[in-house]
Amino acid sequence: MTRYLFAPPAPASLPIQGSDARFPVGRIFCVGRNYHAHAVEMGAPVDKASMQPFYFIKDAGSLVESGATLPYPPGTRNYQHEMELVVAIGASGFRVAEADAAGLVWGYACGLDMTRRDLQLVAREAGKPWDLAKNFEGAAVLSGIVPKAGPGVLQSGAITLQVNGLTRQSGDLAQLIWSIPELIADLSRFYHLQPGDLIFTGTPEGVSAVAPGDRLSGHIEGVGEISLTIGEAE
């Protein structure tokens, strides 16, 4: 029996709709700039014909379940929301063909990629990693997992986010630059995808700053709801 110096953290997991089981979470992959209008608002338009998707990773320690109240994070004065469809991987895959990618999808969730935008922009201009901006406690807010219905993958559906009842983000999954099968096929060229991996698929335009006291509520058609309250800074 292994003896640890101190108790290891509990495995990260999410509830599953209609089940008392939980979905164990491994890696959290995020694709950057996967909606044209958001890429433009970030000052970095995307040309799919000449560009490839790019990714960053959030660790499992950044995961928080929907409904939480999160303190305004340290080190930023520009804390922003990004509402996203999240794909839950349920089978192993390496160098997966696009035609076979749907077989790796177990289900979906609503996600908030919370971002210290000022730190991201400084890092981007300096050509440095985005870790401080994207990978911190509470940076990955997720709803429960909804099992996939049918053999295909989601190709369309409204995705929206409201802050204090006012719509900030509104788009459709059909506007994804790289589709779910394309993302899975591309990621699997670089990683052995495993059950428990999550893929944040990108955010529509309308990302903006939030402040203590703000209440966020998001919806993805066919997937569900997500909510978050911003608390005071610690």
Side-chain angles (χ1 to χ4, degrees):
M1 182 175 180
T2 303
R3 187 174 71 86
Y4 295 101
L5 180 63
F6 50 85
S13 65
L14 291 167
I16 298 171
Q17 186 181 81
S19 173
D20 60 358
R22 292 182 67 88
F23 187 91
V25 175
R27 296 169 294 188
I28 303 174
F29 298 102
C30 306
V31 61
R33 298 197 293 267
N34 202 24
Y35 286 78
H36 281 296
H38 172 61
V40 170
E41 76 177 350
M42 292 300 295
V46 172
D47 176 11
K48 185 177 181 180
S50 62
M51 301 172 70
Q52 295 293 318
F54 74 93
Y55 309 95
F56 53 92
I57 292 178
K58 296 176 184 278
D59 63 52
S62 69
L63 188 153
V64 171
E65 289 187 33
S66 173
T69 296
L70 285 179
Y72 194 93
T76 182
R77 295 184 178 179
N78 190 3
Y79 182 41
Q80 295 197 1
H81 56 75
E82 298 190 10
M83 178 69 188
E84 309 199 15
L85 172 70
V86 179
V87 175
I89 299 297
S92 300
F94 180 57
R95 295 175 180 161
V96 178
E98 285 182 32
D100 300 324
L104 272 65
V105 178
W106 194 90
Y108 306 98
C110 300
L112 290 170
D113 168 12
M114 302 304 293
T115 302
R116 295 191 273 211
R117 187 73 69 201
D118 43 0
L119 301 188
Q120 182 192 18
L121 295 178
V122 168
R124 189 179 76 176
E125 292 303 311
K128 295 180 179 179
W130 292 3
D131 298 76
L132 287 177
K134 290 288 193 177
N135 189 16
F136 54 93
E137 294 95 337
V141 184
L142 285 135
S143 70
I145 306 291
V146 177
K148 182 180 72 169
V153 298
L154 287 177
Q155 299 183 30
S156 63
I159 175 172
T160 60
L161 180 79
Q162 295 185 322
V163 178
N164 302 325
L166 300 177
T167 299
R168 293 267 188 97
Q169 293 186 263
S170 180
D172 195 282
L173 302 178
Q175 298 169 325
L176 287 170
I177 298 172
W178 285 281
S179 68
I180 293 170
E182 288 173 322
L183 291 174
I184 290 173
D186 187 64
L187 264 175
S188 72
R189 296 190 302 122
F190 303 100
Y191 297 92
H192 291 75
L193 295 179
Q194 300 293 327
D197 288 340
L198 300 178
I199 304 173
F200 277 68
T201 59
T203 193
E205 74 274 20
V207 301
S208 55
V210 292
D214 284 347
R215 297 180 180 273
L216 285 63
S217 58
H219 172 80
I220 301 178
E221 183 180 350
V223 178
E225 314 284 338
I226 191 169
S227 64
L228 176 68
T229 299
I230 310 300
E232 296 293 332
E234 294 179 314

